[in-house]
Amino acid sequence: MSRERLGHAGFLGFLATQALGAFNDNAFRFAMLFAIRAASEGPAQSRLTGLAQVLFAVPFVLFAAWSGTLADHFGKSRIIVLAKVTEVLVMMLGVLAFASGSSVSLLCVLFLMSTQSTFFGPAKYGWVAETVPEKNLARANGLVQMTTMVAIVSGQVFGGGLFESYRDDLSTGAWIFVVVAAMGVATALLVTRVPASRPEATFSKNPFGDLKKTWSAARRDRRLLYAVLGIGHFFLLSALLQIDLLVYGEDLLGLGDAASARLVATAVAGIALGSVLAGRLSRGRVEVGLVPLGALAMGLGILGLALCEPVPLDIQVVSSGGLADVLFLRGFWVQILLVFLTGIAGGLFIVPLYSMLQLLAPAGQKGRFLAFGNMVSFVGIGLASIFIWLPAELGLSIRTQFLMIAVLSVIGTLGALKIYPEACARFLAWALTHTFFRLRVRFADRVPEEGGALLVGSPASLKNMLILVASSRRELYFFTPPKRLEGRISSRLFRLLGDVSTGADNTPDTFESSGQVLRNHLDEGRLVVILADDSSAKGGVDTPALQATFKLLTQGFQVPILPVHLGGFRRRALLPIVHVTFGKALPPNSSLGVVEGAMRALDASSD
């Protein structure tokens, strides 16, 4: 299957299709909510509004399994077109519902619209996973998230404006939803066609049984579990912030409804920018190291809102002047900046997680796993209602609620790192190579994209391990000389980076258990790295323990052996540049002398 270029008409058509869908969903939903609220009052108004939120979320849980199976069985591009055609029909029903003035009819259409979106979601993200190469996956998801966020905000604003303009004749104004849906059909026809990934997939009568199987499969892979739970964590925090920012603006800052809504829009704009930044900072890989960075920054931003002393305004001041004037005249720029930076952090957080889920989902089952991710996101949104209701019942202030959200963010982050500590290692490697020097990798394509391989380089140091982690798109497992493990802190850092070395002496017998662990990694198709000691000969691997480990790892294994050279720092511009060069793959039966010769050749060619 051909891989899509991000500037190709097929991908641009896809971006337009999903953005038009997000715009239409939110515009219709907000116009409908305003119409329902205008037609009711008191307790009935609250009940109908709450019911609307439930009906919007239920299909994402109820039909998650079927939507994933459908996307795998018929093909993602085909489902995208069918979903957009269905959207036209649903929006026509919406016109009739607005004409009837019946809240029940509007709620039924909302349920149908949400169901259509449920089946569109797995096809949308699955299409990206199947057509965009891994090196462009993070950038593609960054663009998807950015356009989605812009479309969501635009749709919400447009829906409110449409209601105000056509309050007495909403059925006429609602035809715009049909027009936008038809535009979505036109752009969907531009989307690059992809065949069905699993045409033999069958539909289960019990969708929850399929969800249970998907959950069990995710639990067996720590990386998948990390991605799925991280997505749920993001939407939990997002839903909490969306509500609390409105209350924060109205109750503490003294802003009106419109100005408070712009606080939420500021956060969404930050997410859009953060999503694009995540794609650029990933530099041709799925950079999981950005997730802890985004989580840390989100927690700090929310904590800042909790600790920042608000300056309430008279509502007259807000209504008489523009929001920007009020913010800068009365010192609100601090709150706006915190909200915006929290949004940027959210973009850095969510894009790698979606990319990770797309990449790791088994071939032929991407629709199924992405549908499960959609379901988890709405479970997070549902849990948010509990976290909003409970503090309100306890009479906690909005600043205390922000503090609780910050604590929740920290707990979720620590729990995620417990599941997948390698994300912390990726973060350390990313921070090092973006702060202290610039990294240049030569012949990265020589490292196999899948399957086991043995990499051999020198010298062994924490810095070089971080450099290699940053240089590889795949996870690495290291064997280093024993004295590198001295000290509790350094030992933990080395193990965090994937070092399986054990023991305190320098004898081959001591490392037999470590070698067996590494053999298991090779057997399971992973990358193993042997780093020689500083005291070894230049370009050599001459310590007895390392020689014994090399022999143990190469006997009986048909995996390629790649020499690796880490070049010296060369200062250009502001930051020094370090070069990593991957040598040509050597035969599995190569002797240690042959490998050392290849390492010396790489060293000589880099001088």
Side-chain angles (χ1 to χ4, degrees):
M1 186 194 320
S2 62
R3 288 290 182 172
E4 198 70 24
R5 300 192 310 273
L6 298 190
H8 191 269
F11 183 78
L12 296 178
F14 167 79
L15 274 185
T17 301
Q18 63 90 28
L20 287 169
F23 174 89
N24 223 22
D25 284 358
N26 284 275
F28 177 86
R29 184 161 62 96
F30 268 64
M32 184 218 67
L33 287 174
F34 281 121
I36 288 177
R37 290 175 64 85
S40 58
E41 57 184 18
Q45 186 182 78
S46 299
R47 284 196 298 269
L48 286 173
T49 303
L51 180 60
Q53 301 294 351
V54 171
L55 289 174
F56 180 73
V58 163
F60 287 92
V61 177
L62 189 61
F63 302 126
W66 289 340
S67 65
T69 302
L70 196 71
D72 290 332
H73 180 80
F74 289 107
K76 278 68 173 180
S77 56
R78 185 177 180 184
I79 296 300
I80 287 173
V81 174
L82 290 175
K84 301 311 290 184
V85 171
T86 304
E87 183 183 340
V88 174
L89 300 177
V90 172
M91 290 301 105
M92 287 182 174
L93 292 176
V95 172
L96 297 177
F98 277 118
S100 71
S102 168
S103 296
V104 175
S105 298
L106 287 171
L107 290 173
C108 289
V109 174
L110 176 67
F111 180 83
L112 292 175
M113 184 197 77
S114 183
T115 301
Q116 176 266 332
S117 297
T118 299
F119 284 89
F120 178 76
K124 161 185 164 179
Y125 285 109
W127 182 90
V128 174
E130 291 182 1
T131 60
V132 176
E134 181 184 344
K135 66 179 182 179
N136 291 333
L137 192 57
R139 285 183 57 206
N141 280 306
L143 292 172
V144 169
Q145 290 299 321
M146 181 199 70
T147 52
T148 299
M149 292 300 167
V150 171
I152 287 173
V153 174
S154 302
Q156 292 174 355
V157 173
F158 183 84
L162 183 74
F163 174 78
E164 291 294 333
S165 300
Y166 292 89
R167 180 187 292 264
D168 299 324
D169 190 16
L170 283 172
S171 60
T172 299
W175 278 102
I176 190 65
F177 301 134
V178 180
V179 173
V180 173
M183 292 169 60
V185 174
T187 57
L189 295 175
L190 299 175
V191 175
T192 305
R193 299 290 175 261
V194 293
S197 59
R198 196 162 62 105
E200 72 278 8
T202 57
F203 293 87
S204 172
K205 294 181 179 179
N206 178 15
F208 297 104
D210 281 349
L211 292 177
K212 185 178 179 180
K213 292 179 182 177
T214 306
W215 170 245
S216 298
R219 289 180 61 187
R220 289 193 294 270
D221 188 326
R222 294 179 300 113
R223 299 170 299 171
L224 271 175
L225 184 62
Y226 178 79
V228 167
L229 294 182
I231 290 171
H233 179 69
F234 171 80
F235 281 96
L236 168 62
L237 295 182
S238 297
L240 288 172
L241 284 174
Q242 183 177 17
I243 301 300
D244 283 351
L245 281 176
L246 292 173
V247 178
Y248 184 79
E250 293 178 5
D251 293 355
L252 290 189
L253 303 184
L255 301 174
D257 292 340
S260 296
R262 290 175 198 171
L263 275 178
V264 178
T266 299
V268 175
I271 294 175
L273 178 58
S275 298
V276 176
L277 285 175
R280 292 187 64 85
L281 293 174
S282 294
R283 293 187 177 181
R285 73 182 69 197
V286 176
E287 186 50 80
V288 184
L290 293 176
V291 178
L293 174 64
L296 176 63
M298 275 198 299
L300 291 176
I302 299 168
L303 180 63
L305 288 172
L307 300 179
C308 187
E309 186 68 33
V311 182
L313 292 178
D314 190 323
I315 196 67
Q316 309 289 333
V317 178
V318 179
S319 59
S320 62
L323 177 62
D325 295 333
V326 173
L327 294 175
F328 286 101
L329 285 175
R330 299 300 299 269
F332 277 18
W333 62 271
V334 175
Q335 285 87 347
I336 286 291
L337 183 61
L338 286 171
V339 170
F340 187 64
L341 292 178
T342 301
I344 291 177
L348 295 175
F349 182 86
I350 191 61
V351 167
L353 289 174
Y354 266 122
S355 302
M356 192 176 182
L357 181 58
Q358 291 167 325
L359 186 64
L360 296 177
Q365 301 182 51
K366 293 189 182 295
R368 168 188 163 194
F369 278 83
L370 290 165
F372 185 78
N374 274 352
M375 185 210 70
V376 171
S377 69
F378 275 86
V379 169
I381 293 172
L383 290 175
S385 62
I386 298 176
F387 283 100
I388 290 172
W389 169 81
L390 185 59
E393 288 294 314
L394 296 176
L396 301 179
S397 68
I398 190 65
R399 292 177 66 189
T400 303
Q401 292 183 47
F402 274 131
L403 184 60
M404 291 178 61
I405 297 174
V407 172
L408 184 64
S409 176
V410 171
I411 292 174
T413 302
L414 293 177
L417 292 177
K418 181 72 173 177
I419 295 172
Y420 187 58
E422 288 85 351
C424 186
R426 298 291 309 190
F427 167 63
L428 293 174
W430 181 89
L432 177 69
T433 55
H434 285 75
T435 305
F436 299 105
F437 55 82
R438 298 173 65 184
L439 182 64
R440 293 290 181 269
V441 182
R442 301 177 60 200
F443 308 118
D445 57 333
R446 290 175 176 174
V447 180
E449 294 186 1
E450 57 185 19
L454 178 62
L455 282 64
V456 185
S458 68
S461 68
L462 180 62
K463 179 191 69 177
N464 284 346
M465 290 175 69
L466 287 167
I467 289 172
L468 285 175
V469 168
S471 303
S472 173
R473 288 199 291 264
R474 298 179 57 188
E475 290 184 14
L476 303 178
Y477 296 87
F478 291 89
F479 182 92
T480 60
K483 68 179 184 179
R484 294 294 167 190
L485 293 175
E486 294 176 354
R488 174 178 294 183
I489 296 178
S490 61
S491 174
R492 289 182 177 178
L493 284 174
F494 272 81
R495 293 188 184 282
L496 181 65
L497 291 171
D499 194 327
V500 300
S501 304
T502 59
D505 53 54
N506 203 18
T507 61
D509 292 340
T510 307
F511 293 92
E512 186 174 349
S513 60
S514 297
Q516 188 57 51
V517 171
L518 294 174
R519 283 176 64 90
N520 293 338
H521 285 316
L522 287 174
D523 191 43
E524 293 171 2
R526 298 178 178 138
L527 299 180
V528 171
V529 183
I530 293 180
L531 287 181
D533 195 357
D534 290 346
S535 60
S536 301
K538 187 176 184 181
V541 186
D542 60 0
T543 61
L546 291 172
Q547 292 177 10
T549 303
F550 178 85
K551 183 178 180 181
L552 180 65
L553 294 179
T554 53
Q555 282 184 340
F557 271 96
Q558 295 299 309
V559 295
I561 303 173
L562 277 75
V564 184
H565 177 263
L566 286 82
F569 287 86
R570 294 179 174 88
R571 181 170 294 278
R572 293 181 183 176
L574 297 177
L575 295 176
I577 299 176
V578 63
H579 292 267
V580 175
T581 305
F582 292 98
K584 293 181 180 180
L586 301 174
N589 58 352
S590 298
S591 67
L592 184 56
V594 171
V595 175
E596 289 179 320
M599 292 170 63
R600 292 191 180 96
L602 282 179
D603 182 67
S605 64
S606 64
D607 291 338

